Short mmCIF file of all heavy atoms in Angstrom, two decimals:
data_model
loop_
_atom_site.label_atom_id
_atom_site.label_comp_id
_atom_site.label_asym_id
_atom_site.label_seq_id
_atom_site.Cartn_x
_atom_site.Cartn_y
_atom_site.Cartn_z
N LEU A 7 32.69 12.85 -6.03
CA LEU A 7 31.59 11.94 -6.35
C LEU A 7 30.28 12.46 -5.79
O LEU A 7 29.23 12.38 -6.44
CB LEU A 7 31.89 10.55 -5.78
CG LEU A 7 33.13 9.83 -6.33
CD1 LEU A 7 33.28 8.46 -5.69
CD2 LEU A 7 33.04 9.69 -7.85
N ALA A 8 30.31 13.00 -4.57
CA ALA A 8 29.11 13.59 -3.98
C ALA A 8 28.68 14.83 -4.75
O ALA A 8 27.48 15.08 -4.94
CB ALA A 8 29.35 13.92 -2.52
N ASN A 9 29.64 15.60 -5.20
CA ASN A 9 29.31 16.80 -5.96
C ASN A 9 28.61 16.47 -7.28
O ASN A 9 27.82 17.28 -7.79
CB ASN A 9 30.56 17.63 -6.22
CG ASN A 9 31.04 18.37 -4.98
OD1 ASN A 9 30.28 18.50 -4.00
ND2 ASN A 9 32.27 18.85 -5.00
N ALA A 10 28.89 15.31 -7.84
CA ALA A 10 28.17 14.90 -9.06
C ALA A 10 26.67 14.81 -8.78
O ALA A 10 25.84 15.21 -9.61
CB ALA A 10 28.70 13.56 -9.55
N ILE A 11 26.31 14.30 -7.60
CA ILE A 11 24.90 14.27 -7.20
C ILE A 11 24.37 15.69 -7.06
O ILE A 11 23.28 16.02 -7.55
CB ILE A 11 24.72 13.52 -5.86
CG1 ILE A 11 25.16 12.07 -5.98
CG2 ILE A 11 23.28 13.62 -5.38
CD1 ILE A 11 25.19 11.33 -4.65
N ARG A 12 25.15 16.52 -6.42
CA ARG A 12 24.69 17.89 -6.16
C ARG A 12 24.41 18.64 -7.47
O ARG A 12 23.36 19.27 -7.62
CB ARG A 12 25.75 18.65 -5.35
CG ARG A 12 25.92 18.14 -3.93
CD ARG A 12 26.84 19.02 -3.11
NE ARG A 12 26.77 18.62 -1.70
CZ ARG A 12 27.65 17.83 -1.09
NH1 ARG A 12 28.70 17.37 -1.75
NH2 ARG A 12 27.47 17.51 0.18
N PHE A 13 25.33 18.54 -8.41
CA PHE A 13 25.16 19.35 -9.62
C PHE A 13 24.14 18.75 -10.58
O PHE A 13 23.40 19.50 -11.23
CB PHE A 13 26.51 19.58 -10.29
CG PHE A 13 27.32 20.61 -9.57
CD1 PHE A 13 28.33 20.25 -8.70
CD2 PHE A 13 27.03 21.96 -9.70
CE1 PHE A 13 29.05 21.20 -7.99
CE2 PHE A 13 27.74 22.92 -8.99
CZ PHE A 13 28.76 22.55 -8.14
N LEU A 14 24.05 17.43 -10.65
CA LEU A 14 22.96 16.86 -11.44
C LEU A 14 21.61 17.28 -10.86
O LEU A 14 20.67 17.59 -11.60
CB LEU A 14 23.06 15.33 -11.47
CG LEU A 14 24.15 14.72 -12.35
CD1 LEU A 14 24.22 13.21 -12.15
CD2 LEU A 14 23.90 15.04 -13.83
N SER A 15 21.54 17.32 -9.55
CA SER A 15 20.27 17.68 -8.90
C SER A 15 19.93 19.14 -9.12
O SER A 15 18.81 19.48 -9.51
CB SER A 15 20.35 17.38 -7.39
OG SER A 15 20.55 15.99 -7.17
N MET A 16 20.88 20.03 -8.87
CA MET A 16 20.55 21.45 -9.02
C MET A 16 20.33 21.81 -10.50
O MET A 16 19.47 22.64 -10.82
CB MET A 16 21.61 22.34 -8.37
CG MET A 16 22.98 22.35 -9.00
SD MET A 16 24.11 23.47 -8.12
CE MET A 16 24.62 22.43 -6.75
N ASP A 17 21.05 21.14 -11.42
CA ASP A 17 20.86 21.43 -12.84
C ASP A 17 19.49 20.95 -13.32
O ASP A 17 18.81 21.63 -14.10
CB ASP A 17 21.96 20.75 -13.68
CG ASP A 17 23.32 21.41 -13.51
OD1 ASP A 17 23.37 22.57 -13.04
OD2 ASP A 17 24.34 20.76 -13.83
N ALA A 18 19.06 19.77 -12.85
CA ALA A 18 17.76 19.24 -13.26
C ALA A 18 16.63 20.11 -12.72
O ALA A 18 15.65 20.39 -13.42
CB ALA A 18 17.60 17.80 -12.79
N VAL A 19 16.75 20.53 -11.47
CA VAL A 19 15.74 21.39 -10.88
C VAL A 19 15.69 22.73 -11.61
O VAL A 19 14.62 23.28 -11.90
CB VAL A 19 16.00 21.59 -9.38
CG1 VAL A 19 15.09 22.67 -8.80
CG2 VAL A 19 15.81 20.29 -8.62
N GLN A 20 16.86 23.25 -11.94
CA GLN A 20 16.92 24.52 -12.65
C GLN A 20 16.28 24.41 -14.03
O GLN A 20 15.51 25.29 -14.45
CB GLN A 20 18.37 24.98 -12.79
CG GLN A 20 18.54 26.35 -13.41
CD GLN A 20 17.99 27.48 -12.54
OE1 GLN A 20 17.90 27.32 -11.32
NE2 GLN A 20 17.62 28.59 -13.16
N LYS A 21 16.58 23.32 -14.75
CA LYS A 21 16.00 23.14 -16.08
C LYS A 21 14.48 23.01 -16.02
O LYS A 21 13.76 23.55 -16.86
CB LYS A 21 16.60 21.92 -16.77
CG LYS A 21 16.16 21.74 -18.22
CD LYS A 21 16.85 20.57 -18.89
CE LYS A 21 16.52 20.54 -20.39
NZ LYS A 21 15.07 20.47 -20.67
N ALA A 22 14.00 22.29 -15.01
CA ALA A 22 12.56 22.12 -14.85
C ALA A 22 11.89 23.37 -14.31
O ALA A 22 10.67 23.52 -14.41
CB ALA A 22 12.27 20.94 -13.91
N ASN A 23 12.71 24.25 -13.74
CA ASN A 23 12.20 25.44 -13.04
C ASN A 23 11.23 25.04 -11.94
O ASN A 23 10.26 25.73 -11.65
CB ASN A 23 11.53 26.41 -14.02
CG ASN A 23 11.33 27.79 -13.40
OD1 ASN A 23 12.12 28.22 -12.55
ND2 ASN A 23 10.28 28.49 -13.80
N SER A 24 11.54 23.89 -11.32
CA SER A 24 10.67 23.35 -10.28
C SER A 24 11.41 22.22 -9.58
O SER A 24 12.10 21.43 -10.22
CB SER A 24 9.38 22.83 -10.91
OG SER A 24 8.58 22.15 -9.97
N GLY A 25 11.24 22.13 -8.27
CA GLY A 25 11.84 21.00 -7.56
C GLY A 25 12.48 21.41 -6.26
O GLY A 25 12.35 22.54 -5.79
N HIS A 26 13.21 20.44 -5.68
CA HIS A 26 13.77 20.60 -4.33
C HIS A 26 15.27 20.27 -4.35
O HIS A 26 15.66 19.12 -4.15
CB HIS A 26 13.06 19.67 -3.35
CG HIS A 26 11.59 19.92 -3.24
ND1 HIS A 26 10.69 19.55 -4.21
CD2 HIS A 26 10.86 20.53 -2.25
CE1 HIS A 26 9.47 19.90 -3.84
NE2 HIS A 26 9.55 20.48 -2.66
N PRO A 27 16.12 21.26 -4.56
CA PRO A 27 17.56 20.97 -4.61
C PRO A 27 18.22 20.82 -3.25
O PRO A 27 19.28 20.20 -3.13
CB PRO A 27 18.12 22.20 -5.35
CG PRO A 27 17.18 23.31 -4.97
CD PRO A 27 15.82 22.67 -4.88
N GLY A 28 17.61 21.37 -2.20
CA GLY A 28 18.29 21.44 -0.91
C GLY A 28 18.63 20.10 -0.32
O GLY A 28 19.75 19.88 0.16
N MET A 29 17.68 19.15 -0.29
CA MET A 29 17.93 17.84 0.31
C MET A 29 18.99 17.07 -0.45
O MET A 29 19.93 16.53 0.18
CB MET A 29 16.62 17.05 0.41
CG MET A 29 16.78 15.65 0.99
SD MET A 29 17.40 14.43 -0.22
CE MET A 29 16.39 13.05 0.10
N PRO A 30 18.94 16.93 -1.79
CA PRO A 30 20.01 16.20 -2.48
C PRO A 30 21.40 16.79 -2.24
O PRO A 30 22.37 16.05 -2.11
CB PRO A 30 19.61 16.31 -3.95
CG PRO A 30 18.15 16.53 -3.95
CD PRO A 30 17.87 17.34 -2.72
N MET A 31 21.48 18.11 -2.16
CA MET A 31 22.77 18.73 -1.91
C MET A 31 23.24 18.46 -0.48
O MET A 31 24.43 18.23 -0.23
CB MET A 31 22.67 20.23 -2.17
CG MET A 31 22.35 20.58 -3.64
SD MET A 31 22.00 22.32 -3.90
CE MET A 31 23.65 23.02 -3.69
N GLY A 32 22.28 18.45 0.45
CA GLY A 32 22.65 18.23 1.85
C GLY A 32 22.98 16.79 2.17
O GLY A 32 23.82 16.52 3.04
N MET A 33 22.33 15.83 1.51
CA MET A 33 22.53 14.42 1.83
C MET A 33 23.45 13.70 0.84
O MET A 33 23.63 12.48 0.92
CB MET A 33 21.19 13.69 1.89
CG MET A 33 20.25 14.20 2.98
SD MET A 33 18.88 13.08 3.34
CE MET A 33 19.68 11.85 4.39
N ALA A 34 24.07 14.44 -0.07
CA ALA A 34 24.90 13.81 -1.10
C ALA A 34 26.08 13.05 -0.52
O ALA A 34 26.44 11.96 -1.01
CB ALA A 34 25.39 14.88 -2.09
N ASP A 35 26.72 13.58 0.51
CA ASP A 35 27.88 12.90 1.10
C ASP A 35 27.46 11.58 1.76
O ASP A 35 28.19 10.58 1.67
CB ASP A 35 28.57 13.80 2.12
CG ASP A 35 29.17 15.04 1.48
OD1 ASP A 35 29.95 14.90 0.52
OD2 ASP A 35 28.83 16.16 1.93
N ILE A 36 26.30 11.57 2.40
CA ILE A 36 25.80 10.34 3.02
C ILE A 36 25.48 9.32 1.95
O ILE A 36 25.85 8.13 2.06
CB ILE A 36 24.54 10.64 3.86
CG1 ILE A 36 24.79 11.76 4.87
CG2 ILE A 36 24.06 9.38 4.59
CD1 ILE A 36 23.53 12.32 5.50
N ALA A 37 24.82 9.77 0.89
CA ALA A 37 24.46 8.87 -0.21
C ALA A 37 25.70 8.29 -0.87
O ALA A 37 25.73 7.10 -1.24
CB ALA A 37 23.61 9.61 -1.23
#
Side-chain angles (χ1 to χ4, degrees):
L7 297 181
N9 286 344
I11 298 172
R12 292 187 170 99
F13 284 100
L14 285 174
S15 298
M16 68 179 81
D17 289 342
V19 171
Q20 185 66 24
K21 186 176 187 303
N23 195 31
S24 173
H26 300 75
M29 178 280 223
M31 297 172 72
M33 298 195 79
D35 295 306
I36 307 167

